[in-house]
Amino acid sequence: MTEAILTSARAAVAAAPPTGDPAYECYCRELAKHLTDHWPTVLKANAEDLAHAERRGLSPVLLDRLRLTDAHLGQLQRLTATVLSELADVTARDAGIPVGDWGVRLRAPKPLGVVFMVYEARPTVTVEGALLPVAVGNAVLLRGGKEIARTNEALSGVAREALEAAGLPAHLVTVLDDPDRAQLRALLKRPDAIDVLVPRGSPSLIDHCRGASSIPVIASGGGVNHVYVHRSADLDLAAEVALDSKLPEPTACNTAEMMLVDAEVAAELVAALLHAAERDNRQVTVRLDPQVPRPRTEADGGSGRPWRIDELQEHDFGREFLDATIGVHPVAGLDGALAHIRRHGSGHTEGVLATDSDVTEEFTRRVDAAAIVVNGSLRLHDGPTLGLGSEISISTGRMHVRGPVTLSSLVTYSWVVEAHGTLRSSVTAPPLTP
């Protein structure tokens, strides 16, 4: 079975038209159309997955990750339109650069080949995976969590119909429906047949894929992200950044887990955070380090307040809370914050709040992460928001791509050399610079 899947995907790449062919633009349009036409069927399958998950006792936060609504259809329709608008620039050949007096060199985009995406419980990722890699000529194997098996089956049919309508090989998209981990293990051992591995999900999933495979990885690592609040920061802004970096999408990879705050202003930050939550009735749990004095309003949310306070524990360091919880931990200045981030951060997104420009400059110079946000929300680390284009994930790796994995990250290039009959023996290489 595994061999047949890999053979079909490789054959689909070979049979597909070159990157930039109009068939891929047609596919974007057809995918949007078929999603719209079949959305009631997709929602029915999703409802079955949700009912099954509820019977298994999954938490409300995880159930929310599984759930599809009409709002998701609108988001996916906008995504297909955006990808369509980006294709021409991403897939265009270079204009060409003269080489000496004898030729021209240029880069021609080519697909990466067979892309294997492993992810968990978000069914929108299935559509993203069926769209972005395929739009630039790749074949994609999609393995989502068993919690969305019925939804993925319905989405698989949508992708196949869109491919057929666009005149593209059907096996450019394969949604794997075998929940057995034996299939996953077998695929991870096939660097001869799979060109790129894209794991999306928890740190444990990323680590498993990295450790079990020699396939090149675009690692979308977990988001153990921090915001350092310097004593010079505007604390009202810091409170808003904390809430905006956590509450709209608590399980996203670019949310904040921990506020690292200079000890002398920690109590003031907590007061500002609770006031901001109470003012706009934003539900949040603050895990407060015992070194920070608890606020005098000791009801801890019990009298109609939207916030509550729990005690921050040692095991909370380096942890993704995956709900509307944010930690507050005092540090001894910038060096203390940097030491904590080096020990517990995942290299995804880190932030600093300060009006002292020397502090923000030093933070950006010394922190190593895919994105560093100065005086703003961590959720700004997003391809479309940064003007980088549609993204399929955010990479924490160091090779090939770091940060938003956009369409341009899903192609490689061939050097095309227009030689005009030139022979190497007739070309004198430029001298090496001493």
Side-chain angles (χ1 to χ4, degrees):
M1 181 66 174
T2 299
E3 195 64 43
I5 290 169
L6 295 173
T7 300
S8 296
R10 182 62 64 186
V13 173
T19 299
D21 189 273
Y24 297 109
E25 296 182 353
C26 181
Y27 173 65
C28 292
R29 297 187 190 95
E30 291 293 337
L31 186 60
K33 177 181 180 298
H34 284 79
L35 276 171
T36 303
D37 292 346
H38 294 289
W39 197 246
T41 302
V42 173
L43 289 182
K44 180 179 178 182
N46 185 247
E48 294 174 3
D49 282 331
L50 283 168
H52 183 68
E54 286 176 346
R55 289 194 295 271
R56 291 179 54 211
L58 268 65
S59 71
V61 171
L62 291 178
L63 290 173
D64 193 54
R65 296 177 75 180
L66 301 180
R67 184 175 289 107
L68 288 177
T69 67
D70 287 338
H72 290 106
L73 175 60
Q75 294 169 11
L76 296 172
Q77 289 169 329
R78 289 190 291 275
L79 177 64
T80 58
T82 303
V83 169
L84 178 60
S85 70
E86 295 168 352
L87 277 180
D89 286 341
V90 171
T91 60
R93 286 190 174 200
D94 290 348
I97 299 174
V99 182
D101 60 358
W102 57 266
V104 174
R105 71 170 189 264
L106 57 89
R107 291 200 314 170
K110 301 291 177 67
L112 296 174
V114 177
V115 178
F116 182 24
M117 283 189 62
V118 184
Y119 52 103
E120 292 171 329
R122 291 185 185 272
T124 51
V125 176
T126 304
V127 180
E128 294 165 7
L131 174 61
L132 273 77
V134 176
V136 289
N138 299 289
V140 65
L141 309 177
L142 300 171
R143 187 186 191 276
K146 62 184 179 182
E147 298 86 356
I148 53 173
R150 297 167 184 82
T151 309
N152 274 351
E153 183 180 359
L155 291 172
S156 175
V158 169
R160 288 295 175 91
E161 288 188 19
L163 288 167
E164 182 180 355
L168 291 170
H171 287 98
L172 285 180
V173 176
T174 301
V175 178
L176 303 174
D177 57 5
D178 187 347
D180 191 343
R181 281 186 169 265
Q183 184 187 62
L184 174 61
R185 289 193 294 269
L187 290 169
L188 291 176
K189 294 177 181 177
R190 295 300 303 273
D192 59 310
I194 297 172
D195 298 289
V196 181
L197 175 61
V198 184
R200 279 187 60 169
S202 65
S204 61
L205 173 67
I206 309 298
D207 290 345
H208 174 74
C209 289
R210 278 176 160 161
S213 181
S214 61
I215 301 168
V217 177
I218 298 177
S220 306
V224 181
N225 307 319
H226 307 82
V227 178
Y228 168 52
V229 183
H230 184 255
R231 60 183 175 273
S232 71
D234 178 333
L235 296 183
D236 289 332
L237 173 63
E240 289 300 325
V241 165
L243 295 175
D244 186 77
S245 297
K246 166 56 71 170
L247 299 186
E249 202 171 353
T251 62
C253 60
N254 59 358
T255 61
E257 304 300 336
M258 191 75 65
M259 304 296 289
L260 304 173
V261 55
D262 282 350
E264 58 264 45
V265 296
E268 294 175 63
L269 173 67
V270 173
L273 182 58
L274 300 184
H275 174 71
E278 195 164 331
R279 182 189 63 228
D280 298 321
N281 196 34
R282 288 180 279 187
Q283 304 286 327
V284 65
T285 297
V286 178
R287 287 188 179 264
L288 184 59
D289 193 292
Q291 299 175 71
V292 180
R294 292 172 71 93
R296 292 180 181 178
T297 49
E298 251 333 283
D300 287 357
S303 59
R305 293 186 174 95
W307 49 265
R308 59 172 290 160
I309 294 178
D310 291 337
E311 185 171 302
L312 187 71
Q313 305 287 336
E314 182 74 23
H315 67 260
D316 291 324
F317 297 150
R319 173 185 174 192
E320 286 186 278
F321 295 116
L322 299 177
D323 60 18
T325 297
I326 192 163
V328 176
H329 175 59
V331 292
L334 176 61
D335 287 341
L338 293 172
H340 186 101
I341 290 168
R342 279 194 294 270
R343 181 175 180 184
H344 299 290
S346 60
H348 193 291
T349 311
E350 302 292 348
V352 57
L353 290 158
T355 57
D356 186 333
S357 60
D358 290 340
V359 171
T360 58
E361 182 176 348
E362 187 72 357
F363 188 91
T364 59
R365 189 177 69 84
R366 295 173 64 185
V367 165
D368 185 21
I372 302 167
V373 181
V374 179
N375 291 321
S377 171
L378 299 195
R379 293 173 56 243
L380 296 171
H381 185 196
D382 167 79
T385 302
L386 292 175
L388 298 174
S390 305
E391 71 177 28
I392 198 166
S393 64
I394 293 176
S395 171
T396 56
R398 298 177 180 277
M399 303 299 290
H400 177 60
V401 58
R402 196 178 199 196
V405 181
T406 59
L407 281 178
S408 61
S409 309
L410 297 171
V411 295
T412 185
Y413 295 89
S414 293
W415 284 109
V416 177
V417 182
E418 299 285 356
H420 306 303
T422 303
L423 303 179
R424 176 63 180 84
S425 57
S426 68
V427 176
T428 302
L432 296 176
T433 302

Short mmCIF file of all heavy atoms in Angstrom, two decimals, residues 76 79 117 123-133 142 200 391-393:
data_model
loop_
_atom_site.label_atom_id
_atom_site.label_comp_id
_atom_site.label_asym_id
_atom_site.label_seq_id
_atom_site.Cartn_x
_atom_site.Cartn_y
_atom_site.Cartn_z
N LEU A 76 -11.11 30.11 3.59
CA LEU A 76 -10.48 29.26 2.58
C LEU A 76 -10.71 29.79 1.17
O LEU A 76 -9.83 29.69 0.30
CB LEU A 76 -10.98 27.82 2.72
CG LEU A 76 -10.61 27.14 4.04
CD1 LEU A 76 -11.32 25.80 4.17
CD2 LEU A 76 -9.10 26.96 4.15
N LEU A 79 -8.25 32.47 0.81
CA LEU A 79 -6.90 31.91 0.64
C LEU A 79 -6.66 31.48 -0.80
O LEU A 79 -5.60 31.77 -1.38
CB LEU A 79 -6.71 30.72 1.59
CG LEU A 79 -5.36 30.01 1.46
CD1 LEU A 79 -4.21 30.92 1.83
CD2 LEU A 79 -5.35 28.75 2.33
N MET A 117 3.15 16.10 4.39
CA MET A 117 2.72 16.91 5.52
C MET A 117 2.10 16.04 6.59
O MET A 117 1.19 15.25 6.30
CB MET A 117 1.70 17.97 5.07
CG MET A 117 2.32 19.16 4.36
SD MET A 117 1.10 20.48 4.09
CE MET A 117 0.67 20.90 5.79
N PRO A 123 -8.65 20.77 10.52
CA PRO A 123 -9.02 20.37 9.16
C PRO A 123 -8.72 21.43 8.11
O PRO A 123 -8.57 21.10 6.93
CB PRO A 123 -10.52 20.10 9.27
CG PRO A 123 -10.98 20.79 10.50
CD PRO A 123 -9.82 20.82 11.43
N THR A 124 -8.61 22.71 8.51
CA THR A 124 -8.25 23.73 7.52
C THR A 124 -6.85 23.48 6.95
O THR A 124 -6.57 23.86 5.81
CB THR A 124 -8.29 25.13 8.15
OG1 THR A 124 -7.51 25.13 9.36
CG2 THR A 124 -9.72 25.55 8.47
N VAL A 125 -5.99 22.81 7.72
CA VAL A 125 -4.65 22.50 7.23
C VAL A 125 -4.72 21.55 6.03
O VAL A 125 -3.88 21.60 5.13
CB VAL A 125 -3.79 21.90 8.36
CG1 VAL A 125 -2.41 21.49 7.84
CG2 VAL A 125 -3.63 22.91 9.49
N THR A 126 -5.73 20.69 6.01
CA THR A 126 -5.90 19.79 4.87
C THR A 126 -6.09 20.58 3.58
O THR A 126 -5.50 20.26 2.55
CB THR A 126 -7.09 18.86 5.10
OG1 THR A 126 -6.92 18.16 6.34
CG2 THR A 126 -7.23 17.84 3.97
N VAL A 127 -6.90 21.62 3.64
CA VAL A 127 -7.12 22.46 2.45
C VAL A 127 -5.86 23.24 2.11
O VAL A 127 -5.46 23.33 0.94
CB VAL A 127 -8.32 23.40 2.66
CG1 VAL A 127 -8.54 24.26 1.42
CG2 VAL A 127 -9.57 22.60 2.98
N GLU A 128 -5.20 23.81 3.11
CA GLU A 128 -3.97 24.55 2.87
C GLU A 128 -2.93 23.64 2.22
O GLU A 128 -2.22 24.04 1.28
CB GLU A 128 -3.43 25.11 4.18
CG GLU A 128 -4.32 26.16 4.82
CD GLU A 128 -3.95 26.44 6.26
OE1 GLU A 128 -2.93 25.90 6.73
OE2 GLU A 128 -4.69 27.18 6.94
N GLY A 129 -2.84 22.40 2.71
CA GLY A 129 -1.88 21.45 2.15
C GLY A 129 -2.22 21.01 0.75
O GLY A 129 -1.34 20.73 -0.06
N ALA A 130 -3.51 20.94 0.45
CA ALA A 130 -3.94 20.57 -0.90
C ALA A 130 -3.82 21.74 -1.87
O ALA A 130 -3.92 21.53 -3.08
CB ALA A 130 -5.39 20.07 -0.87
N LEU A 131 -3.61 22.93 -1.35
CA LEU A 131 -3.57 24.12 -2.20
C LEU A 131 -2.16 24.62 -2.47
O LEU A 131 -1.69 24.61 -3.62
CB LEU A 131 -4.40 25.24 -1.55
CG LEU A 131 -4.36 26.62 -2.22
CD1 LEU A 131 -4.89 26.56 -3.64
CD2 LEU A 131 -5.13 27.63 -1.38
N LEU A 132 -1.45 25.06 -1.44
CA LEU A 132 -0.19 25.78 -1.68
C LEU A 132 0.89 24.93 -2.36
O LEU A 132 1.44 25.35 -3.38
CB LEU A 132 0.34 26.37 -0.37
CG LEU A 132 -0.19 27.75 -0.01
CD1 LEU A 132 -1.62 27.66 0.54
CD2 LEU A 132 0.69 28.45 1.01
N PRO A 133 1.21 23.72 -1.85
CA PRO A 133 2.25 22.95 -2.54
C PRO A 133 1.85 22.58 -3.97
O PRO A 133 2.69 22.62 -4.89
CB PRO A 133 2.39 21.68 -1.68
CG PRO A 133 1.83 22.06 -0.35
CD PRO A 133 0.74 23.04 -0.64
N LEU A 142 -0.93 14.00 2.61
CA LEU A 142 -1.47 14.68 3.78
C LEU A 142 -1.90 13.66 4.82
O LEU A 142 -2.79 12.84 4.57
CB LEU A 142 -2.67 15.55 3.38
CG LEU A 142 -2.37 16.66 2.35
CD1 LEU A 142 -3.66 17.29 1.86
CD2 LEU A 142 -1.46 17.71 2.96
N ARG A 200 3.54 19.65 11.18
CA ARG A 200 2.88 20.80 11.83
C ARG A 200 2.17 20.30 13.06
O ARG A 200 1.33 19.40 12.96
CB ARG A 200 1.86 21.45 10.90
CG ARG A 200 2.42 22.39 9.89
CD ARG A 200 1.31 23.12 9.13
NE ARG A 200 0.45 23.92 9.99
CZ ARG A 200 -0.45 24.79 9.53
NH1 ARG A 200 -0.61 24.97 8.23
NH2 ARG A 200 -1.19 25.50 10.36
N GLU A 391 0.87 31.49 3.51
CA GLU A 391 1.81 30.57 4.15
C GLU A 391 1.13 29.25 4.46
O GLU A 391 -0.09 29.19 4.66
CB GLU A 391 2.36 31.17 5.44
CG GLU A 391 1.34 31.25 6.56
CD GLU A 391 1.90 31.79 7.85
OE1 GLU A 391 2.86 32.58 7.80
OE2 GLU A 391 1.37 31.43 8.92
N ILE A 392 1.95 28.22 4.51
CA ILE A 392 1.44 26.91 4.89
C ILE A 392 1.85 26.56 6.31
O ILE A 392 1.25 25.69 6.95
CB ILE A 392 1.92 25.84 3.90
CG1 ILE A 392 1.06 24.59 4.03
CG2 ILE A 392 3.39 25.50 4.09
CD1 ILE A 392 1.22 23.62 2.90
N SER A 393 2.85 27.23 6.83
CA SER A 393 3.31 27.01 8.20
C SER A 393 4.34 28.08 8.51
O SER A 393 4.66 28.92 7.67
CB SER A 393 3.91 25.60 8.36
OG SER A 393 5.07 25.47 7.56
#
